[in-house]
Amino acid sequence: MRCGEALRATFDRRFLTSLLLLLAVRALELALGEGYRFSSDDGSLPTVYSKLTRVDIALYCVVPLFVLGSSGSLGRSLSPATVLRWGSRRRMTRWHLLRSLVRGLAYSVVLVASALVAISLRSPLSFPAPTAALFVPVELALETMFLSACGMLLLASFVASGHGGTSVLAVLAYASVDYLLGMTELSGDHLFATGWSLTTLTGST
């Protein structure tokens, strides 16, 4: 598969639509001021950022949009024609992993960029550029790993079940477990952090 064709398969119409919906949701949050309860006691950039990327946001918005955007090409991705195009199942699997990483990075860029814009406009605190330069790559990497894992779980569930709806439910169940753990007394113990909770550890240290 050529580079241009692989790029079009990664950013297909369904995924781009979900990405635009995420951007619209974040813009609406900023316009309405929803969830922006900043104070001068927040202290650090990770702490302020974690208020905009809570685990409930991941469960009810980020993960559903990502999964629905990634689920449109499941059947085509595993078709015999696709295997022949790549030459082997191993090469095809590597491409699926790379595609999940790229899609996860695209979502992470939208999340991080929108949060930084909200912080600059709404927070009473200001943070120097070196602080953001150190924080942003770490947060991008953490969120990308989580979302790409969701993409791979979606694919693995589809291989096992052969049903797109079951695959989507499997990823949502994974996100729900993370949410439930975040609502328990275990949420303060980093040893029990799973999924999206791992991306917020920078804000709890």
Side-chain angles (χ1 to χ4, degrees), residues 41-96:
D41 296 328
D42 289 332
S44 66
L45 176 58
T47 300
V48 177
Y49 180 86
S50 65
K51 292 186 174 184
L52 303 177
T53 54
R54 303 180 309 274
V55 68
D56 57 326
I57 294 175
L59 174 63
Y60 296 118
C61 177
V62 179
V63 173
L65 284 176
F66 182 80
V67 170
L68 291 176
S70 301
S71 62
S73 57
L74 283 176
R76 295 191 304 273
S77 299
L78 299 173
S79 67
T82 303
V83 177
L84 290 174
R85 192 176 303 157
W86 280 105
S88 69
R89 292 186 181 275
R90 180 176 298 179
R91 291 179 61 187
M92 186 185 70
T93 301
R94 286 199 299 264
W95 175 69
H96 283 307

Side-chain angles (χ1 to χ4, degrees), residues 51-148:
K51 292 186 174 184
L52 303 177
T53 54
R54 303 180 309 274
V55 68
D56 57 326
I57 294 175
L59 174 63
Y60 296 118
C61 177
V62 179
V63 173
L65 284 176
F66 182 80
V67 170
L68 291 176
S70 301
S71 62
S73 57
L74 283 176
R76 295 191 304 273
S77 299
L78 299 173
S79 67
T82 303
V83 177
L84 290 174
R85 192 176 303 157
W86 280 105
S88 69
R89 292 186 181 275
R90 180 176 298 179
R91 291 179 61 187
M92 186 185 70
T93 301
R94 286 199 299 264
W95 175 69
H96 283 307
L97 176 59
L98 179 59
R99 184 172 68 169
S100 293
L101 285 170
V102 172
R103 284 178 166 177
L105 178 60
Y107 258 64
S108 300
V109 168
V110 170
L111 288 168
V112 172
S114 60
L116 291 179
V117 169
I119 290 170
S120 66
L121 295 177
R122 299 278 187 172
S123 176
L125 301 175
S126 60
F127 303 99
T131 300
L134 291 173
F135 170 76
V136 168
V138 175
E139 196 61 35
L140 281 175
L142 290 171
E143 293 182 13
T144 299
M145 285 190 292
F146 168 74
L147 290 168
S148 63

Side-chain angles (χ1 to χ4, degrees), residues 181-193:
L181 285 176
M183 296 296 102
T184 69
E185 60 184 9
L186 300 178
S187 60
D189 191 339
H190 294 175
L191 292 175
F192 292 94

